[in-house]
Amino acid sequence: MARARTPRSAPARRSPWRRRLVLSAQIAVALVVLAFGALAIAVYVARSQLPSFEELKSSPNGQMIRVHAADGSVIVSMGPSYGEWLSYDSIPRVMREATVAVEDRRFYSHPGVDPLGIARSVLIRYERGRWIQGGSTITQQLARNVFLNNQKKFGRKFREWILALALERKFSKDQVLELYLNKVYYGGGAYGIDAASRKFFGHGANTLNLAEAAVIAGLVKAPSNYSPTADAQAAVGRAGVVLDAMVRHGSITREQASEADPQALRLAPEPRQNSARYFTDWALPQLDTLIDETQAPLDVWTTLDLGMQRDADAAVRANAPDGAQGALVSLDRDGAVKAMVGGKDYVSSIYNRATQAQRQPGSAFKLFVYLAALEAGHKPEDSIVDEPVTINGWSPRNDSRRNSGPVTLRTAFAFSLNTVAAKLGQEVGFTTIADMARRFGITTPINTHPAMVLGTSDVRLIDMTRAFASVAAKGVAVTPYGITRVTANGQTIYTHEVDRSHVLVAPYVAAEMTDLLQTAVNTGTGRAAQIGRPVAGKTGTTTSLKDGWFLGFSSGLTTGVWMGRDDARPIAGLHGGTAPARAFAAFMKPATANRPIEQFETQVTLPEWQLEPDEETYFGQPDNGGAMVDEDGNPVAQAPRDEQQQDEQAIRPQDSAPQQLDDLIDRVTGRDAPQPRDDRRDPAAPVRQPLRDDRRDGAPANRQPPRPLQDDRPTQ
């Protein structure tokens, strides 16, 4: 009987959870392999797109603007500051080791990203509930500073990892550290260890000692908190942390750390904000209209002469009255601004009174009155009667409170006779004078009231200086400029070109105006502006002694000076012929010392007789007619003429003209003293009317001898 066959046992069936675990592991491995492959591809692509080492060296972060004076020296650096690039071998060992110890102690062992550092950061985040440490390596920080930003987003962090890995695939550790130390931000606008060392310690980074290196290395974590200039105590405390890290890292011994004394370090003083900043504040905004470059670092080459700037600053400080401000602008013959002072102290007031303030110019505005008269056909030798005049209810009077009868235009201008200016304005038209002022560069509104001839419209100092410079340029327009060229990464992207094609008045008109201006300096109200060489200029003093002006030119240099209070309160003794004229002379003497002496086209011609100069020269009344007009230039009520005459008689001294005035004339002309003569006119004789001469080459043929002055002139 056959035996029955025993059935085989069925294979044991695998549990579902084990199958899922194995499948999950396989998927995870596949994902890791894919992720690693993707990471490798991403790193390879990033590496291929990275700039070269030399390109990274020459591409600072952010736009830096270095402003150079005319001699090439740096006046000021705006934006980020970069020092000298130091190669790895030139960087002091203590600086390299301090940075590695405090920022990334496993720098030489990780591939650009430190997994242990990331794990530690995540653990602290879990324990504290917020991010305390980022776990960023030196390479990651370099990638973030050069290519990314500081946004705390995972996407930015992932790109940072890719770039860090790519950087270490392309560059050596030494190159990465060299880039980092030369490009990382250390606070105070300083990028790189050399800029930081020069800012905080006053010397290059190649001579840093251990204590200084510890201070600088400690700044990276929080530049604004640990900056020595902001919080010296915090900087010292952070330097101690760096020294302890160096000891733990084995870079230095405990004895060396103890010998380093960050508290004994002496910080470099902060650079003083001097008056040159008035110039840079005016010039740099012009870059927006001159160039389009907004990224590359710029070198801006300017017209500023630092020697002249120092002299201008000293002249304003030394001569401005107590409680008053002062401003000065000096232009070369092509319009180049050689010096600009906008106030007595930039630190206490950055308001630029040379380019922003609008003040009344007083009799300095008569430049445009006489330019209009000369262009209309008048000559300096033309005769006009200095007599009482009323125009639309306005009756100006001279500062001497008397009238001199027939005078030449030269005499009237030299001694700033207000009645003559008013008559000329009425003849040529007040609108014509306003147009002449605009033609010569006055950009502020100009009223056309009759009193405008005495300077009742507000103007800017730089505009008035420009007008006088255009007269000096024989009637060709002069435009002030401060930037000569701009370079970006060594390439010139802008060069200034001087335009000499805009003729404002005929050359003979400018020459005649210069003749009048030089007479005002030699014998008139501007005698305090004499500098031992030919000078042409004009004073200006406003109502109640609120403003004092002097503007003039010599040897190709035109300078304007203004003084007054910001609140427009009167200043006792302030006249254009005093403090402003003295400041002009104090500046122009050294400014023109190395320039050849230039004679004007017309020699000095004295007035046909010597009038008593404007009383502003001797601390008298302002030269815009006293209180004849209100703030808007409208006429105000005046005493009747007979009362005025009584007042004038009361203040006239009865002694004869002082001998020193005659001596002055003799010295200027080099002639012998004239003999006394008795040629007083008959009081009953009629007053001569002004004569006009249409000829261009001489005085009127029918002009009568001038009426001599009575012996009732005021003494000096």
Side-chain angles (χ1 to χ4, degrees), residues 130-207:
R130 59 190 179 90
W131 293 107
I132 302 297
Q133 289 182 320
S136 295
T137 64
I138 284 177
T139 316
Q140 287 177 250
Q141 294 180 49
L142 176 64
R144 180 169 64 247
N145 289 336
V146 175
F147 302 108
L148 303 173
N149 53 47
N150 289 320
Q151 289 182 344
K152 293 184 177 181
K153 295 182 179 180
F154 183 78
R156 193 274 300 166
K157 197 70 175 178
F158 181 75
R159 291 194 299 273
E160 180 184 298
W161 292 341
I162 299 297
L163 288 170
L165 293 170
L167 284 169
E168 296 233 2
R169 302 287 77 73
K170 186 163 187 174
F171 306 122
S172 67
K173 290 285 186 180
D174 290 352
Q175 287 178 316
V176 169
L177 189 58
E178 178 182 334
L179 287 169
Y180 177 84
L181 290 174
N182 281 283
K183 296 180 79 67
V184 73
Y185 181 60
Y186 287 100
Y191 284 80
I193 57 172
D194 191 67
S197 179
R198 294 179 189 277
K199 177 175 179 59
F200 300 126
F201 304 119
H203 61 77
N206 56 344
T207 59

Side-chain angles (χ1 to χ4, degrees), residues 321 324 541 545-548 563-565 571-576 578-580 619:
T541 309
L545 310 182
K546 295 178 181 179
D547 302 90
M563 290 180 183
R565 288 177 60 99
I571 301 174
L574 177 62
H575 305 270
T578 55
F619 304 95

Side-chain angles (χ1 to χ4, degrees), residues 418-439:
N418 294 327
T419 58
V420 173
K423 294 179 73 172
L424 290 174
Q426 186 179 36
E427 177 186 336
V428 302
F430 303 112
T431 301
T432 301
I433 295 171
D435 290 341
M436 180 66 72
R438 295 188 189 98
R439 191 193 309 178

Side-chain angles (χ1 to χ4, degrees), residues 52-63:
S52 67
F53 186 76
E54 292 301 321
E55 289 174 327
L56 285 175
K57 285 175 61 176
S58 61
S59 60
N61 300 328
Q63 188 174 40

Side-chain angles (χ1 to χ4, degrees), residues 18 28 57 74 80 109 182 189 196 238 268 296 341 469 511 582-583 644 675 699:
R18 289 189 62 186
K57 285 175 61 176
V74 177
S109 60
N182 281 283
R238 178 63 179 169
V341 177
R582 289 194 294 265
Q644 265 189 358
Q675 297 298 318

Side-chain angles (χ1 to χ4, degrees), residues 120-133:
R120 184 179 67 253
S121 176
V122 172
L123 179 61
I124 294 176
R125 167 69 175 82
Y126 176 77
E127 293 175 347
R128 303 284 183 86
R130 59 190 179 90
W131 293 107
I132 302 297
Q133 289 182 320

Side-chain angles (χ1 to χ4, degrees), residues 258-564:
S258 300
E259 291 175 359
D261 186 8
Q263 290 186 346
L265 294 176
R266 300 186 62 182
L267 298 178
E270 285 288 298
R272 183 176 178 271
Q273 300 286 346
N274 57 36
S275 65
R277 289 299 304 273
Y278 287 117
F279 171 81
T280 58
D281 288 352
W282 168 75
L284 289 181
Q286 300 170 28
L287 290 175
D288 293 338
T289 61
L290 300 180
I291 61 174
D292 297 325
E293 179 61 60
T294 60
Q295 298 295 327
L298 302 177
D299 283 279
V300 180
W301 307 84
T302 71
T303 59
L304 192 71
D305 185 301
L306 291 180
M308 290 187 184
Q309 183 67 24
R310 286 190 294 269
D311 292 337
D313 200 23
V316 170
R317 287 171 176 265
N319 291 281
D322 292 339
Q325 278 289 352
L328 183 150
V329 175
S330 188
L331 307 179
D332 213 336
R333 63 179 79 247
D334 63 346
V337 177
K338 309 303 291 184
M340 177 181 287
V341 177
K344 293 168 68 174
D345 182 20
Y346 182 85
V347 175
S348 62
S349 174
I350 65 173
Y351 181 60
N352 193 336
R353 297 156 188 85
T355 61
Q356 296 174 281
Q358 300 181 27
R359 305 295 288 256
Q360 290 186 359
S363 281
F365 194 83
K366 290 176 183 175
L367 173 79
F368 309 115
V369 177
Y370 280 78
L371 279 170
L374 293 172
E375 188 174 61
H378 276 287
K379 304 293 289 182
E381 297 296 336
D382 283 357
S383 179
I384 189 168
V385 178
D386 172 21
E387 61 185 347
V389 60
T390 298
I391 305 173
N392 297 337
W394 173 62
S395 300
R397 63 184 179 186
N398 298 325
D399 297 330
S400 60
R401 299 195 178 187
R402 60 185 174 81
N403 300 108
S404 304
V407 296
T408 63
L409 291 189
R410 176 180 291 106
T411 299
F413 185 84
F415 302 117
S416 203
L417 299 181
N418 294 327
T419 58
V420 173
K423 294 179 73 172
L424 290 174
Q426 186 179 36
E427 177 186 336
V428 302
F430 303 112
T431 301
T432 301
I433 295 171
D435 290 341
M436 180 66 72
R438 295 188 189 98
R439 191 193 309 178
F440 271 77
I442 301 302
T443 57
T444 48
I446 304 170
N447 70 64
T448 53
H449 301 298
M452 61 93 71
V453 299
L454 306 184
T456 58
S457 298
D458 290 341
V459 295
R460 297 185 180 93
L461 175 60
I462 193 169
D463 290 346
M464 288 294 292
T465 308
R466 170 187 186 178
F468 276 75
S470 298
V471 173
K474 301 179 181 180
V476 177
V478 172
T479 302
Y481 71 96
I483 298 175
T484 57
R485 63 188 174 97
V486 181
T487 60
N489 293 325
Q491 300 295 319
T492 299
I493 61 175
Y494 168 78
T495 301
H496 178 77
E497 296 182 1
V498 177
D499 182 7
R500 301 180 184 274
S501 63
H502 192 187
V503 178
L504 304 178
V505 292
Y508 77 85
V509 173
E512 290 171 344
M513 191 70 241
T514 301
D515 185 13
L516 300 181
L517 289 167
Q518 67 175 344
T519 307
V521 174
N522 280 276
T523 66
T525 61
R527 286 185 293 173
Q530 295 176 2
I531 60 174
R533 62 173 63 202
V535 176
K538 185 71 181 77
T539 58
T541 309
T542 60
T543 303
S544 303
L545 310 182
K546 295 178 181 179
D547 302 90
W549 299 70
F550 186 86
L551 303 106
F553 49 87
S554 178
S555 301
L557 200 64
T558 303
T559 299
V561 179
W562 166 87
M563 290 180 183

